[in-house]
Amino acid sequence: MIAELVSGAVALLLHLNTLGADFCYDDSRAIKTNQDLLPETPWANIFYDDFWGTLLTHSGSHKSYRPLCTLSFRLNHALGGLDPWGYHLVNVVLHCAVTSLFAYLSRLLLGGGCWSLLAGLLFASHPVHTEAVAGVVGRADVGAALFFLLSLLCYTRHCTLRPHSARRWPWFLGSLACAASSMLWKEQGVTVLAVSAVYDVFIFHRLRFQQIVSLLYKRKNLHLLLSVSLLAIGGAVLLAARLYWMGNKPPNFSNSDNPAADSSSLLTRTLTFLYLPVVNVWLLLCPDTLSFDWSMDAVPLLRSIADWRNLHTLAFYAGLLLLAWIGLRSPAKVKETNGKAHVVDGRSSMNGHSCHTNPGYTDLELESPRTSENGAKNQHIPRTQLPATENVVIFALGLMSIPFLPATNLFFYVGFVVAERVLYIPSMGFCLLVPAAMRALHLRLCRRPSRTLVLYCAFSLVILYGFKTVLRNRDWQNEEMLYKSGIRVNPAKAWGNLGNVLKNQGKMAEAERAYRNALYYRRNMADMLYNLGLLLQENNRLSEALHYYKLAIGSRPTLASAYLNTGIILMNQGHLDEAKRAFLTCADIPDENLKDPHAHRSSVTSCLYNLGKLLHEQGRQEEALLMYKEAIQKMPKQFAPQSLYNMMGEAYVRLNKLPEAEHWYRESLRAKPDHIPAHLTYGKLLTLMVSPALLKNIQIGNCQFLLEEGRFTEAAEMAETAAQLESGDFDVVFNAAHMLRQASLHHAAEKYYSLAANLRPDYPAALMNLGAILHLNGKLQEAEANYLRALQLKPDDTITQSNLRKLWNIMEKQGLRTRRPSP
């Protein structure tokens, strides 16, 4: 248990600095804007939507069906809202659990000595895991790895209880259940069933390649064939169920996500797809250059045989074949137990260690006992003995390559070039392969200093990886640091995302430079062209903004938000016909095959709303209502509808359909109870429909609500509107003056205090307040007259007396004549 505990503790220590990180990159769409995490969204939606909250059968869905991961996000949201600390804590805890389980698996394969500890520490410290652990969306990979290992360990238990114990079947069913759970965390989790078959053949039964074919003809190996067949059937059922659930259609990706897949040249696709595994293995070997995004031109396409990178491809596959040959060839008769090699072919050993060139476990007979040279029968070798190094190599290669197969573009195109978090599970094979190789080297060396040097090199690698992991975790502290770290690998994407961060920080000039840098590297990025246009529009550089919106539309004709802002600018400039065409074009764009249909529908709804407003202002109320109704039909769940509902009410008022107008005003206030325009328009409607007493109560109640919220300006605007409607009602007028004064609108307040004093000339408070506002507005002599009139009505009012003394002091300093009594 030491290896498991130490590895888990090291994983925790190395990733502690991720707990203070913010949400970064894909976290925003998967968590902050994902409607499936909200309490009002039905829980069942998680099982019908993809990872990003889009309906799985939608043509634009990513088809990433990961309901267990989304469910964990929802639980995080229920417990801590959008505080990133809790999300990062769960990621780190899951990573520690995966590390401990992997160390336990390594102990089954490498023994309980330093080699299993080395494997666990390599996995705990590997820098390529940073994206999966520090990036919250990487939880899909970590959770899938947890159940991946649980499934594999259940299967190892099934193997040990075979063939005579009936207790093996619950373990087999547990393995299938964990495999299904792993797949529901992330798609590649289902590959554990194939890895389990490799374990059964090459680790538990210790077969060689040349023996596999002969298995079909030997009755006593039917239990092995049965288990492997059941694994294959289980995998086929899970894959078929998943394909059916996602609508029997693969996802669609843009050409920037995976440029090689979009290439028309078979040679380019072949050479590039053969080269990409080389890049991934290099990230495992030497994770010096890491990036949050490897799309676009981060890995340039290989377009010809003359590209020198093809040499890397040849060297990689030659090395892979060499490792496979080492694992599949027949070994010498050497037995390993707990990391020690013992000679069984007649040669002597020295203290349990040997210097043979081919250490390995060699009892390969499965069907019957074997007769030794002296005639004694050898029973089946106990399963407590470790597998041969060659078998471990084969299993490690399988563990590294099989989970990576879905990312190879061999069976279907994927939406990325390289993704570091995809390497989380395959890295287990790498972290097994390195200790197995070093153990073999350690056994072949006869001199103690050489063996010690091997151990030092092994654990020095752990230290280097750990140091790099801590540094890389710092890049994931916030989006600004993350995007700056990716400029070297993917400058177009990194500069563009950095521009968004700088804009949100209010650094407009720096944001504009970042957008232009992104477009320097890739001129046809529709998102960057749109973002630059939006920045220019917010800085009132409307002509330039229109230029970039048109470029964005030319690059991506389905970009609804670009049409929306183009129409708004044209409408504000008075080009109404052009604005109308832009809005209508936007409204006709279908949401098929779009990456984010929710955002698209929001833009389409806004286009229809603005087109309705334009028609409303032209007096074409019936047409405006048609646009508003179409907007309601296309409106997504996250769209805030209060303005749309309010404008529908306005249109019905113009058509003199007051009950319909009242309905939509109420809908607007139901959607947002403090929506000021709806309060104002509803108040106007009530003047036509209800008694003055009820209207007054409504207005006073609304103003009081806004005052309690500290929204003095809005309360003042509403109160002033009420005073204009009920200019003969003292309470309404006096209340409006008071609201305006609290909002520091002193000149408007003076108007309504004066009106209130005229309505009730014998009311001391009205005269006193009028005097006070005149005092503030610098009209000192008029203020003095009103203070004196108020004191005539209420001589003992201390506030009026105090204000009047202050006024007289000011007037005397200014040399003005006062009516102060002589002392």
Side-chain angles (χ1 to χ4, degrees):
M1 291 295 292
I2 294 177
E4 292 91 321
L5 292 174
V6 171
S7 299
V10 169
L12 175 63
L13 290 173
L14 291 177
H15 290 280
L16 274 178
N17 62 337
T18 66
L19 296 180
D22 201 353
F23 292 122
C24 291
Y25 194 41
D26 286 337
D27 297 348
S28 178
R29 186 178 168 203
I31 297 167
K32 296 171 74 173
T33 62
N34 191 342
Q35 298 297 302
D36 286 345
L37 271 59
L38 300 179
E40 58 268 23
T41 303
W43 286 83
N45 282 25
I46 292 174
F47 297 96
Y48 292 94
D49 294 343
D50 67 14
F51 189 55
W52 312 100
T54 302
L55 189 65
L56 196 63
T57 54
H58 188 276
S59 59
S61 170
H62 195 271
K63 306 297 184 183
S64 47
Y65 186 57
R66 305 164 191 173
L68 293 184
C69 186
T70 307
L71 182 62
S72 73
F73 289 155
R74 177 147 182 167
L75 292 173
N76 261 128
H77 192 280
L79 294 173
L82 290 177
D83 183 358
W85 185 87
Y87 295 83
H88 287 294
L89 177 64
V90 173
N91 275 31
V92 172
V93 170
L94 286 173
H95 177 57
C96 293
V98 171
T99 303
S100 297
L101 283 176
F102 175 70
Y104 176 74
L105 175 66
S106 302
R107 182 153 59 89
L108 298 180
L109 300 171
L110 301 173
C114 63
W115 304 114
S116 61
L117 176 62
L118 174 61
L121 292 177
L122 281 173
F123 188 83
S125 62
H126 206 295
V128 84
H129 297 160
T130 296
E131 181 178 359
V133 182
V136 177
V137 296
R139 184 183 301 178
D141 296 87
V142 183
L146 179 66
F147 284 93
F148 185 101
L149 288 171
L150 289 173
S151 176
L152 183 56
L153 291 172
C154 284
Y155 191 79
T156 63
R157 182 62 178 163
H158 164 78
C159 291
T160 59
L161 295 173
R162 200 174 51 195
H164 303 297
S165 175
R167 291 181 299 163
R168 69 188 187 277
W169 293 114
W171 289 101
F172 184 85
L173 294 175
S175 177
L176 289 179
C178 289
S181 298
S182 182
M183 185 183 72
L184 293 176
W185 275 89
K186 193 170 184 181
E187 300 78 16
Q188 67 184 137
V190 74
T191 59
V192 67
L193 298 177
V195 174
S196 297
V198 172
Y199 173 88
D200 203 348
V201 173
F202 293 102
I203 298 297
F204 185 77
H205 283 91
R206 298 172 167 90
L207 293 180
R208 301 298 167 188
F209 182 73
Q210 60 270 25
Q211 295 178 294
I212 295 176
V213 177
S214 64
L215 278 177
L216 300 174
Y217 306 102
K218 301 197 177 178
R219 291 182 57 189
K220 292 188 177 180
N221 291 321
L222 290 178
H223 56 272
L224 170 61
L225 294 175
L226 176 62
S227 294
V228 173
S229 299
L230 290 175
L231 286 174
I233 292 171
V237 169
L238 289 175
L239 288 173
R242 190 188 185 284
L243 184 63
Y244 169 77
W245 201 248
M246 71 184 212
N248 297 313
K249 292 181 180 179
N252 294 308
F253 302 108
S254 68
N255 60 353
S256 63
D257 292 330
N258 190 345
D262 193 61
S263 174
S264 59
S265 169
L266 176 62
L267 178 65
T268 297
R269 293 199 304 273
T270 303
L271 293 178
T272 304
F273 289 149
L274 286 173
Y275 176 69
L276 290 179
V278 182
V279 177
N280 283 277
V281 170
W282 183 250
L283 287 176
L284 292 175
L285 284 169
C286 183
D288 176 56
T289 301
L290 300 173
S291 175
F292 70 98
D293 190 289
W294 290 82
S295 63
M296 300 182 181
D297 300 320
V299 180
L301 300 179
L302 282 77
R303 301 183 184 277
S304 71
I305 300 293
D307 195 312
W308 62 272
R309 289 175 293 172
N310 289 312
L311 297 176
H312 295 170
T313 304
L314 290 173
F316 167 72
Y317 288 105
L320 197 64
L321 289 174
L322 177 61
L323 281 174
W325 179 78
I326 291 173
L328 296 173
R329 69 193 177 99
S330 298
K333 295 183 178 181
V334 181
K335 180 176 66 178
E336 292 179 14
T337 304
N338 292 326
K340 296 183 179 181
H342 303 276
V343 182
V344 296
D345 61 355
R347 289 178 289 182
S348 62
S349 65
M350 297 175 292
N351 297 323
H353 295 280
S354 71
C355 298
H356 299 299
T357 58
N358 189 26
Y361 180 83
T362 59
D363 187 0
L364 305 178
E365 189 68 39
L366 297 175
E367 297 80 14
S368 62
R370 188 171 50 146
T371 304
S372 65
E373 293 178 1
N374 58 9
K377 288 186 177 181
N378 294 330
Q379 301 299 318
H380 287 294
I381 292 176
R383 295 307 180 190
T384 55
Q385 292 181 348
L386 296 179
T389 298
E390 289 83 358
N391 295 82
V392 175
V393 168
I394 289 295
F395 178 74
L397 289 175
L399 183 55
M400 186 165 63
S401 58
I402 293 174
F404 185 71
L405 283 176
T408 60
N409 295 277
L410 182 63
F411 302 106
F412 48 82
Y413 292 141
V414 296
F416 53 86
V417 178
V418 174
E420 291 164 19
R421 57 177 177 255
V422 170
L423 295 175
Y424 189 82
I425 294 177
S427 68
M428 295 179 188
F430 171 80
C431 294
L432 269 178
L433 200 58
V434 171
M438 288 190 168
R439 183 184 68 169
L441 178 62
H442 185 270
L443 292 172
R444 282 167 173 76
L445 295 173
C446 298
R447 299 178 61 183
R448 184 176 295 274
S450 300
R451 291 184 169 191
T452 305
L453 180 61
V454 170
L455 291 174
Y456 281 149
C457 289
F459 287 95
S460 295
L461 183 63
V462 172
I463 293 172
L464 288 173
Y465 279 180
F467 182 70
K468 175 66 176 179
T469 293
V470 173
L471 292 179
R472 181 59 178 160
N473 285 343
R474 293 173 59 188
D475 291 338
W476 283 82
Q477 290 298 302
N478 56 64
E479 290 192 317
E480 183 175 358
M481 295 175 66
L482 180 64
Y483 299 147
K484 286 180 178 178
S485 72
I487 290 175
R488 183 172 59 162
V489 174
N490 193 346
K493 194 70 169 284
W495 277 117
N497 288 336
L498 182 60
N500 294 336
V501 173
L502 293 170
K503 181 187 171 188
N504 291 335
Q505 294 175 353
K507 301 175 181 178
M508 296 302 179
E510 296 177 47
E512 182 178 347
R513 284 196 295 271
Y515 288 142
R516 295 189 185 278
N517 285 340
L519 293 170
Y520 171 80
Y521 288 100
R522 194 177 179 91
R523 295 186 177 276
N524 63 341
M525 287 194 297
D527 289 330
M528 293 309 108
L529 291 166
Y530 169 77
N531 289 337
L532 179 56
L534 190 61
L535 183 145
L536 295 169
Q537 181 181 359
E538 291 175 1
N539 285 277
N540 208 32
R541 295 159 62 181
L542 302 183
S543 298
E544 294 176 79
L546 274 176
H547 170 71
Y548 283 102
Y549 287 146
K550 290 176 181 177
L551 290 177
I553 291 170
S555 179
R556 190 191 301 166
T558 58
L559 187 56
S561 53
Y563 290 100
L564 169 64
N565 286 328
T566 297
I568 290 173
I569 291 176
L570 292 171
M571 187 170 64
N572 292 335
Q573 289 179 340
H575 305 302
L576 302 184
D577 290 336
E578 295 179 57
K580 195 181 301 181
R581 282 195 296 270
F583 291 141
L584 286 171
T585 304
C586 175
D588 291 336
I589 299 174
D591 63 356
E592 296 178 1
N593 301 320
L594 297 181
K595 186 179 292 186
D596 192 350
H598 296 302
H600 172 80
R601 287 197 291 269
S602 291
S603 296
V604 169
T605 304
S606 295
C607 277
L608 290 167
Y609 165 74
N610 281 282
L611 179 56
K613 280 184 65 178
L614 190 155
L615 294 168
H616 172 80
E617 290 168 3
Q618 292 179 336
R620 299 157 65 180
Q621 307 305 326
E622 296 287 356
E623 295 177 64
L625 280 172
L626 290 175
M627 294 300 105
Y628 294 146
K629 289 175 181 177
E630 186 178 350
I632 291 174
Q633 290 176 352
K634 295 184 177 182
M635 179 175 64
K637 291 180 181 179
Q638 72 272 21
F639 189 83
Q642 59 271 8
S643 296
L644 174 58
Y645 294 161
N646 185 56
M647 286 305 301
M648 287 196 71
E650 285 279 270
Y652 276 118
V653 167
R654 295 279 184 95
L655 294 171
N656 202 31
K657 297 180 179 180
L658 303 188
E660 290 89 342
E662 182 182 14
H663 167 75
W664 288 108
Y665 287 145
R666 287 182 178 276
E667 287 295 315
S668 178
L669 292 173
R670 185 177 292 112
K672 192 172 188 292
D674 58 347
H675 187 54
I676 300 304
H679 279 288
L680 297 175
T681 52
Y682 191 27
K684 292 177 183 177
L685 177 67
L686 290 173
T687 61
L688 304 173
M689 299 178 65
V690 302
S691 65
L694 178 57
L695 173 63
K696 181 172 71 175
N697 291 335
I698 291 172
Q699 294 288 357
I700 292 173
N702 289 337
C703 291
Q704 187 62 38
F705 166 77
L706 293 170
L707 274 180
E708 291 172 357
E709 293 288 314
R711 299 160 63 175
F712 301 114
T713 302
E714 296 173 21
E717 291 174 358
M718 179 175 291
E720 186 175 14
T721 301
Q724 291 170 352
L725 295 171
E726 291 291 321
S727 58
D729 189 311
F730 173 82
D731 290 332
V732 173
V733 171
F734 190 75
N735 181 60
H738 180 64
M739 299 290 180
L740 290 163
R741 180 178 176 182
Q742 285 191 302
S744 299
L745 300 172
H746 295 151
H747 291 286
E750 178 187 335
K751 171 184 173 182
Y752 288 100
Y753 276 130
S754 178
L755 180 58
N758 290 333
L759 291 171
R760 284 195 187 175
D762 57 348
Y763 188 52
L767 296 169
M768 188 274 290
N769 279 285
L770 176 58
I773 199 67
L774 289 167
H775 187 166
L776 289 172
N777 290 339
K779 300 177 180 180
L780 305 184
Q781 291 179 332
E782 295 177 51
E784 180 187 33
N786 281 282
Y787 282 147
L788 291 172
R789 286 171 58 197
L791 285 174
Q792 288 176 359
L793 296 171
K794 192 176 181 181
D796 58 345
D797 188 81
T798 56
I799 296 177
T800 305
Q801 292 171 355
S802 175
N803 285 347
L804 183 58
R805 284 194 296 270
K806 293 175 183 177
L807 176 69
W808 280 334
N809 292 335
I810 294 171
M811 292 176 69
E812 288 171 355
K813 288 180 181 178
Q814 294 182 7
L816 296 176
R817 187 174 179 180
T818 69
R819 288 192 260 176
R820 187 201 291 260
S822 301

